[in-house]
Structures are given as C-alpha cells and as structure tokens.
Amino acid sequence: MDPLSLGLLVAFMTIVVLFSGVSVASGLLIVSAGFLLVFDGIRSLELMPEIFFGKLNSFALLSIPMFIIMGAAISSTRAGADLYEALERWLTRVPGGLVMSNLGACALFSAMSGSSPATCAAIGKMGIPEMRKRGYPDEVAAGSIAAGGTLGILIPPSVTMIVYGIATETSIGRLFLSGVLPGLLLVGLFMAWSVFHTFRYGSADVLARRTYTLKQKLEILPRVIPFIIIIVGVLYAMYGGIATPSETAAVGALLCLVIAMVIYRLWSPKKLWTILSDSTRESVMILFIIGAAGVFSYMLSSLFITQSIAAWISDLEVNRWVLMGIVNVFLLVAGFFLPPVAVILMAAPILLPIILAAEFDPYWFAVILTINMEIGLISPPVGLNLYVINSIAPDIKLKTILRGSMPYVGCMVLAIVILCVFPGIVSWLPNLVMGPV
Amino acid sequence: SAANATELRLSHQWSTGDVRHKVAEMIATDVAAAGVDLDIKIFPSESLLKAREQYNPLSRGQVDMIVYPLSYSGGQRGEYNLTLMPGLVKNHDHAARLNESPFMEEIEKILAEDDIMVLVHGYLAGGFASVGECITRPEHVNGLSTRAAGKSFEEMLAAAGASISSMASSEVYNAMQTGVLQAVNTSSSSFASFRLQEQVKCYTPAADVALWFMYQPVLMNKSTFDGLSDAQKEALTAAAAKAEAWYLQEAKAEDAASVEVFKAAGVEIAAMTQDDFNAWLELAKTSSYKSFVDSVPNGQALLDMALAVE
Amino acid sequence: MATLPSTRAASTGGYLVLRLIKGLSTVCGWVSALMILASVLITCQMIFVRFVMEKSTIWQTEAVIYLMIGATLLGLPYVQSLRGHVNVDLIPILIKGRARNVLAGVVLLMTMAVVSVILFYAFENWHFAWERGWRSETVWAPKLWIPYLALPLGFGLYLLQLAADFVALVLGVDRAFGLEDN
Ligand code: NA
Ligand code: NA
C-alpha cells in the first residue's frame, strides 16, 4: 500500500477508535500498535516504551504541571472574584461594567494560568452568579465566561504553546509574546458582543453605570496585590536573568501556592491536597497524551506517511490562502472532538512543513491554531469549558450555555480573519521585544 | 526492479541544511546511482527517533543506519567517552589519523559487540562563546555560569572554577540573552544554529589549535550490512569512502563558516594559542581524564592508545 | 459527551479486591502529586543555587525530568480510577443498554492489550538497563534502571486498574463509560 492510502486508512481508523469512547491517549496507542504490527512487523512494537519515555524526556514539559498548579492554586481562593470586583469598581465609566470586568479578569487571570478550564472556573465561580443576580441574560453570563476562559491558552503562559514550541522547535518565549495582542483583540471582541447582546436583549438598565465611592474603590485595591506580586515575580524571574522560561514556571507555581496559603489562609491539608490532586489529574492526563502522541507520530513517520502527505500537499500548488483555509477547517473539525494538546501533537509535524513551504510564519500559525483550539473548547462534543460552566452553574441548561457561547465562536472566527488580514498584530510585540526572526 | 529493492532507513537529528545530513544524502544518492537495488530513506531532524535514543534501536536493527555522536552512549559504554575528550584531538588532520589508528579499532570492536559497524568516520570541532571577556584559558571561565556539550568538558570546566548549568539546548539562546548563562562550549555548527552570534560578545572558534572535537560517524547495523548482496556492499562501501573524504573537508570548512557568521554579527573573535591549549590539557588530565580512567575498566590502556596517535 | 473527571470516579460496589485496587491507585496518585511538588521545589532550589550561590547545578534538571516521567506513569492508574483520561464518547451515547456495555468491555480489553504489550517491552528495557548497569551520559550519571522502572511499574499498575474496571463492568457495579442509563 502506498503511504498516502495508508495515511487515509490511519485517519479513518483513528477516528473510529477515538469515537468509541476509549481515552484519547490509549486510543492513539492502540492505533499506533495496530499499524506498526501490521505494516512494520511485531519487532517494531519493542520500541514503544522507549519512544514514550523519550517523548516525556524533556525539561520544557515541566512547565505544563507548573502552570496548571498556578491556575489551580489561585482558583481555589477568592482571588478571581477580587479581581473582577476591583475592575468593576474602577471601570464605572464603562457601560456593562460587570461583564466587561469579568472578561477583563479572565484575560488577567490567563496571564497566570496556562490552562483554559482553570481560568474558566476561577472567574466563573463568583462571576456567573453575580452577573445573573444583576439581570444579565444567562446566555451572556455563561457564554462570556466560557469564551473568556479560553484565553488561558492564548495569553501567556500557555500549555498548548509550550507543546507547540516543543513539537515544532520554535522559541517558546516568542510564542508567548505572539499570543498577547491577539488575546487582547479577542477580549475586545468578546466585550463588544457581550454589551451589544445585553443591550439588544432589552437589559439596558442592567448595563447602566454603577457608581462607587472613592472609599469603595480604594478598599478593594489591597486585594489585588497578590496578583501583582505573582505577575511581577514571574516577569522578574524570566526577564531579570534569573531563570529560563521553563524554570520560571516552577517559581510561579511555588509563588501561587505560598500566596494561597499565606494570604488566603489555605492551610488545611485537605484543601492543599485538592489543589495538588486536581493539578496532578490534569497534568497526568495531558502528559499521557503527549507520550502517546509521540508513539503515534513515530508510527506515522516510520510508515513514511508524514513525509508523503507533506510532499503531496506541497505538490498541489494551490493558492496559499486556499491552503490556509483548508488547514483551518481541518483544525476546527479536529478541535471539535479532541483536546488541544492532542490536536497540536498529531497535526504539527504534518502541517508545519506545509505551512513553512507556503511561507506562513510559524508563530503566526501558532496563534491561528490556538484560536482554532479555543473554539473547540466551547463547542460540542468535547468542550471542556462548557462542562466547567455546567459544573459551577448547574441550573443553567447545557443548551443555554451552548447557545450563549456560539456568538463568541463567531468572534473567534472574526479574529482569525482579522489576523489573516493584519498578521502584524501577532508579530509586532515579539519583534519589538526579541528582535525580528 | 525498484519495487523489490532493499530499503534501508537512516536516522539523524539534524536539519536538512546540516553537513551531517549532506553526508547521509551523498551516500543515499551514490548508492541509488549504482543501480544495485538499494534504497536509503533518510529521516532527518529527529523525525523517526530522538537524538539520544538512536543507538539501541540501531543495535537491534529497528533502524539500519544513524549519524550519531558516539559519546551520547558513553553511559552505556564508558569507552565511548574518549570520543569527546578535551585535547585528545589536536586538529582535523590529527582526527583523520586517529580514525585509522589501533585506538579506533578498539572502539570498533566494542561497537561490534552491539552488532554495529562504522560506515563513515568523522570528527567535528567546536569552541567557546561568552557574553563577557574572551575565553582562551582556564582562568577565563572561573566563576562563569557555563554550559558545555559533553560530560568530559563539563568536568574540565568545573575544575577550572566554572559553575555548570545543565539545560536543554533549546533554552541556551534565551539563557544567554537574559544572562542565566555566561559562556557556552559546543560545536561550530551548533553555534550558528542556536543563533548565538546575536547574544555573545566573544567567540573562540576551532582554528589551528582547538580543544573540542566530537566523533560523529555514520553507523550501520552489522547484520543488516552482512545480509546485503556483494554488489550492494561494494556500492555502499564505495559511497561511504567518498562521503568520508568530503566530510573531512567540510568539517574544516564548518569552522571557518561559523567564524564568518560571528564576524558579520560584530562579535569579537579570539584565538587560542598552543600555550593556552597546554594549560587546558593539564587541567583535563587531573579532571576529565582522571574521571574516565577511574570509571572505565581498562580505561588507562585505551587512553594511552589514543594519546599515542601522532 | 466528555464529562468532567470529578463527577464519576470508579465504583467498586463494595467488592474488597476492587476497593483494594482503587486504594492502590489512590496511593499512586499521592506519590505522583508528591513527585510534581518535589520537582517544583527542586527547580526553585536550582535557580537559587545558580543565581544566589553561583554554584554548579549538575543533577537538578535531570532529576526533575525523571520525577516528571515518574509522576506521569504512576499517575496513570490514579487518573484512570477517577475516569480522568479525557475521551470522546460519541458512539457510546448513540447506543444503549447491552450494546453499550459490550462496547465498553471491548474498549477496556483493547486498552489492556496495548498496555500489556508496552508493559512487556518496558520490563525488558528496564531489565537490560539494570543488568548492564547503564548510566545516563551526564556528570551526575545516575543509574538508568531507576527512571526506567517508572515504565513497567506505571503501566503495570495502570493495567491492574483497567482489569478492575473490566471486572466492575462485568459484575455490573460500574456503568459503561460512566453514562446514565436513558
Ligand atoms: Na495563559
Ligand atoms: Na469541542
């Protein structure tokens, strides 16, 4: 069988196996073992444990559990609520202050957490009930937080950017910087939609400005100090010549744990264990997928499928924007079903040579890919953020959450279009800080 | 016919622009041109196996050929540490003589125990780069946070008073930029591929005198080679001999090319004198050589064999 | 649909063996969490030693990598017992009753098969490293059988938890894919 038909067969079998309800990581191992056994002989299975081990044998992967711990530690405190409250008291001149503050808090929180579900939970736990109490429609309350939470993987630090950086050998520092302005662009679009929808819904009074006394404004300030400590501490470690980006993650994790314990008095071993065990669960799940995806890409490469697909597409000679369109549809569909890390690991080795051959910037592509993955997080059937919202606001129907988040998907698609027209939004900041590539 | 040609798989860690990829490509092209039904498929950039995880699969025949810095497997076969030892190789012509010596025969015997043979011998050289003053003598690294390619070099630098920071090669650029690292010691080709010319103030390349030489041969599974037809063996051996000559010539050119890159970026270029070299060598004898002899049975004899090469 | 992990941990129906295995997996989870915590502390210690004390950091990077690998592998049975390995249960929600149970059984058996294969070769690999005294190629040079042990141990315990899940499914004490009957 030629490698291209073999590739089709692998794609088909992967879809069948993954849809059967097997865990994504085990599914990848099953498909890999099956194809290696049939097309490379039984002895090729010998290598599976070594490939798995080798894939995890990388210091940069350390930052994944670290950034997850940062998010988990802070979201177990009331820091998220403090953050949006502070924003609201100071944003009194802005209509729809509460939803704007919640989205702003999501963006700020994303600067500390590498994972989207953690961001969602941290802000949403208090933010959603508060918005509903003040009369915001359920669609906006749930949808804005689901969408705002996805910023966790676009605004640095980001677990998926780390995985992309490792898979494509691009600079993680530059990837992080590339995500900043597109992240702010998305926040802006989310805010615009939230205010517009609330207004159209007939809740103009909800949007009415609230006024706070100077005393109220000042008394909330000390409560955002922990955030400032963390952000300044992490940036200082990273840019002050103290630690490399992966090492900085550990500093951030320790800082967040200490702040949760000292400032928020999270002393009880049971609560600390909850933070640790939640982080362990999410980290192990992601790292297992990374190891298994390593075996999967070994299988693809060993059967010469990766190389043949890349060669085939670059021989197609389609317009580069048609190519980008096809790649986007592929990523979107994959993102509907698979968690971001799995999509990146499976697609990056195949897509990156194609993207580079069509002269697209790998950092720009990382941002486009991440926004596609963000869409997957708030769309069925595997939309992790939807389930987080569902678990923190159980009385909002899943259907309502979904209907609420769909317009935000529209905002993300719009953002992709804007970034295609103005790629400078991605490259401006990294070029400014790190110099041109 | 091509349909039932023998297919060999060659794995290595470098990009397709690298000299070591071109060596592999030369062999593949020449063997294909010989028309002996032998097809070599190259898997570059760790697309099949990770850099440090190629030796055992080669030994077991799961990949047929690799281009591989042999000292990567020094933890498995202590003797291989001699293939990246400070001051053991003086220059590229000396390296070529070492390849033909009884010392290399001993190394090849050990390789044969793992069912591996050498197809193409080759050494690549390297130097130092720093964000502060130029490094030519041991006292220059005293107190610097340093990363070295290779265990023996780290032992020597630690003896010179440097603090050794182990970190992934992917982090070196960033670490030099922020000052986490102040000096690096690696191969000429790595310097340019890490784009370190953008971050460092001084570069001490491999020139007439050099300290850092690493043996990076093309290896092949011995049973796979033995299973080839005589015509195939002949074509492969001929292609390998031609590639070896070219590899030696390119290894010299690599050093000069890296100097050009650093010069163009406005980096100061320093030169190591014979006297500087001797100072390093004295230090190496009491640190890395000693540690090698202590940890490898029969290590002294093997070291003497290598040192005996004129 | 994908479900949040915390909502559906493994049910043991009070069977002693199933409870013991689940307990073992939980202990693995503690060890895994402690390994992650240890890597946070070791990394911070490394930064301190290098930046403040200006001393060599020889063992930390490698130790942290091995701890992370250990945490991942020992975490496998724990996350399995909590149903925390993310999946796409598109087909399971389309079918009901007996068919869904059969599918769940097949999925578990396939997973166990592939895990057994990896376990077998992982043990072989570990045994080689142990017998031949392989070391890592660094100044620290730890014996490689120690990190390699994580593979057979982790996959072995994962296999045990999968087997327990299969038994629970057959005995009817756990629901297929953790889905409600409807
Ligand atoms: Na983030
Ligand atoms: Na989805």
Side-chain angles (χ1 to χ4, degrees), chain A residues 335-337 375-377 379-383:
Chain A
F336 282 158
F337 301 105
I375 294 176
L377 286 172
S379 62
V382 182

Side-chain angles (χ1 to χ4, degrees), chain A residues 332-338 373 375-384 386:
Chain A
L332 253 174
V333 173
F336 282 158
F337 301 105
L338 295 173
M373 297 303 103
I375 294 176
L377 286 172
I378 56 172
S379 62
V382 182
L384 282 178
L386 298 178

Side-chain angles (χ1 to χ4, degrees), chain C residues 20-111:
Chain C
L20 279 177
I21 292 175
K22 193 179 172 188
L24 189 60
S25 297
T26 307
V27 172
C28 287
W30 295 344
V31 177
S32 170
L34 288 178
M35 285 171 132
I36 291 179
L37 190 62
S39 29
V40 175
L41 298 176
I42 290 175
T43 308
C44 293
Q45 185 262 3
M46 169 171 77
I47 297 169
F48 184 80
V49 167
R50 187 179 58 213
F51 185 74
V52 181
M53 300 170 66
E54 300 191 342
K55 291 258 170 61
S56 290
T57 54
I58 288 180
W59 56 275
Q60 288 90 340
T61 316
E62 207 179 346
V64 163
I65 293 174
Y66 294 151
L67 279 170
M68 291 306 313
I69 295 176
T72 306
L73 285 151
L74 284 179
L76 292 181
Y78 171 65
V79 177
Q80 174 65 23
S81 77
L82 294 175
R83 305 291 181 264
H85 292 299
V86 64
N87 66 348
V88 187
D89 35 11
L90 208 65
I91 300 175
I93 46 174
L94 294 177
I95 57 178
K96 290 188 172 58
R98 205 179 145 67
R100 186 190 279 173
N101 278 325
V102 170
L103 180 64
V106 170
V107 159
L108 275 171
L109 287 175
M110 297 264 288
T111 309

Side-chain angles (χ1 to χ4, degrees), chain A residues 139 143 147 189-190 193-194 197 200 378 400-414:
Chain A
E139 282 91 348
L189 292 173
F190 292 166
W193 169 261
S194 306
H197 183 75
R200 195 185 55 171
I378 56 172
T400 313
I401 302 176
L402 243 177
R403 201 170 59 227
S405 52
M406 278 308 114
Y408 296 93
V409 169
C411 294
M412 292 177 190
V413 175
L414 181 62

Side-chain angles (χ1 to χ4, degrees), chain A residues 107 109-115 119 151-159:
Chain A
F109 197 89
S110 297
M112 240 165 296
S113 158
S115 117
T119 309
L151 295 169
I153 59 168
L154 185 58
I155 294 179
S158 153
V159 167

Side-chain angles (χ1 to χ4, degrees), chain B residues 98-168:
Chain B
L98 206 65
N99 289 337
E100 308 295 325
S101 69
F103 157 71
M104 200 53 87
E105 272 173 35
E106 284 303 309
I107 296 287
E108 295 196 59
K109 269 185 210 157
I110 301 164
L111 280 164
E113 286 173 23
D114 288 333
D115 198 19
I116 295 174
M117 58 181 273
V118 178
L119 215 52
V120 175
H121 292 287
Y123 270 94
L124 289 179
F128 285 98
S130 67
V131 294
E133 70 170 310
C134 294
I135 296 170
T136 53
R137 296 182 64 85
E139 47 270 32
H140 296 152
V141 297
N142 190 16
L144 294 189
S145 166
T146 310
R147 180 188 182 272
K151 176 184 174 178
S152 309
F153 277 84
E154 290 195 331
E155 285 166 344
M156 180 188 72
L157 289 168
S163 64
I164 303 302
S165 300
S166 52
M167 69 176 61

